[in-house]
Amino acid sequence: MRFTCEQRLDNGVLEREFTLGEIPGVLWTPGSTPAPLILISHNGGLHKREPRLVARARHYAAKYGYAAAAIDAPGHGDRPRSAADEQARADLRRAVQAGEPLDEILDAFILPLVEKAVPEWRATLDALLSLPEIDGPVGYNGMTATGIRLALVEPRISASVFFGQGFVPHTLREEARQVTIPLQFLMQWDDEGMERQPTLDLFDAFGTKEKTLHANLGGHAGTPWFEVDDAARFFARHLK
């Protein structure tokens, strides 16, 4: 892991960009360390510097004393996009707008993304936990599809907060039945791109004995800010 630039924010949080091989990322650490770690994953199409993601990471570090890290998934953010990546995104947008079945498109777009992103998250986790300013345990906050697979293969993740309005292929919905770590599941009741019932069915499918559903009125990007604090309290029960 190589740090490429850093800045100390007014609240004492140290924000550093890094690269790990081809993986670009950002690490936020609080003034008091070592700290538990939260991995913050963006949903499909977004960037590790997406403003809402950055605001969450800085808040976790400044107010609650967590370290937080985000990386650009393959084909996202500062990483190159292939023609196949662009076509898959275009197909997904068209199908959502037309109200067409999504299963085949999700298998073609989301599954390959997850299969590439999960090993990168695990390699990033190896590097982060070798730093003296970071200590376990580890939480995950973000894209549900990636989070399901990570929860199954990465024993160092102790608890997760998933954004339920993301697209999850059938294969990963089946894998959700094997997820046993504590989780908090967020959904937007009026999400313009996702029907309610598949999201509720996915929550029901998770195999964990400790799961909580938070449903809020509003569209896809309207998750209330207070959910960030609720997530921090959830992590406090499991990471501290």
Side-chain angles (χ1 to χ4, degrees):
M1 174 176 284
R2 182 172 66 90
F3 290 103
T4 56
C5 66
E6 67 176 55
Q7 62 171 330
R8 180 74 67 176
L9 305 179
D10 291 342
N11 53 22
V13 172
L14 180 61
E15 182 176 277
R16 289 175 286 177
E17 294 194 3
F18 65 83
T19 58
L20 181 66
E22 298 179 354
I23 308 167
V26 187
L27 173 64
W28 295 266
T29 48
S32 177
T33 58
L37 174 65
I38 299 175
L39 306 178
I40 302 184
S41 166
H42 57 67
N43 282 332
L46 298 181
H47 190 288
K48 65 183 181 299
R49 283 285 190 180
E50 194 273 330
R52 290 172 297 171
L53 185 156
V54 172
R56 289 203 315 273
R58 290 175 174 177
H59 193 64
Y60 285 145
K63 184 173 181 178
Y64 294 99
Y66 296 114
I71 62 174
D72 280 329
H76 290 69
D78 294 327
R79 303 182 71 173
R81 293 187 181 186
S82 67
D85 291 333
E86 297 291 3
Q87 185 60 53
R89 286 182 176 84
D91 290 344
L92 180 58
R93 286 194 296 269
R94 177 189 53 75
V96 170
Q97 292 169 359
E100 298 175 356
L102 299 178
D103 287 349
E104 291 185 6
I105 295 174
L106 292 179
D107 286 347
F109 177 39
I110 301 295
L111 272 181
L113 172 62
V114 169
E115 288 167 358
K116 294 174 185 175
V118 166
E120 293 190 346
W121 268 119
R122 300 188 76 186
T124 302
L125 185 54
D126 289 340
L128 291 171
L129 289 178
S130 71
L131 300 174
E133 59 267 39
I134 294 177
D135 193 10
V138 180
Y140 173 89
N141 181 199
M143 182 177 176
T144 303
T146 301
I148 290 171
R149 180 66 58 81
L150 265 177
L152 295 185
V153 303
E154 182 47 74
R156 292 172 292 185
I157 295 179
S158 301
S160 291
V161 175
F162 292 153
F163 290 98
Q165 59 264 42
F167 295 107
V168 180
H170 179 74
T171 298
L172 292 169
R173 289 175 175 268
E174 289 301 311
E175 290 183 11
R177 302 182 188 280
Q178 304 172 52
V179 172
T180 58
I181 62 172
L183 65 87
Q184 192 159 288
F185 194 66
L186 308 181
M187 70 174 289
Q188 288 301 102
W189 202 246
D190 307 300
D191 192 323
E192 56 274 22
M194 174 66 69
E195 295 182 5
R196 294 172 188 165
Q197 195 58 51
T199 303
L200 295 170
D201 291 343
L202 177 58
F203 174 76
D204 191 49
F206 284 111
T208 180
K209 300 299 183 183
E210 183 175 345
K211 56 184 177 180
T212 303
L213 174 66
H214 287 198
N216 292 285
L217 296 177
H220 184 78
T223 303
W225 179 254
F226 64 72
E227 290 290 2
V228 177
D229 290 305
D230 280 347
R233 288 189 285 271
F234 166 81
F235 284 127
R237 295 197 298 273
H238 302 289
L239 305 186
K240 291 188 175 181

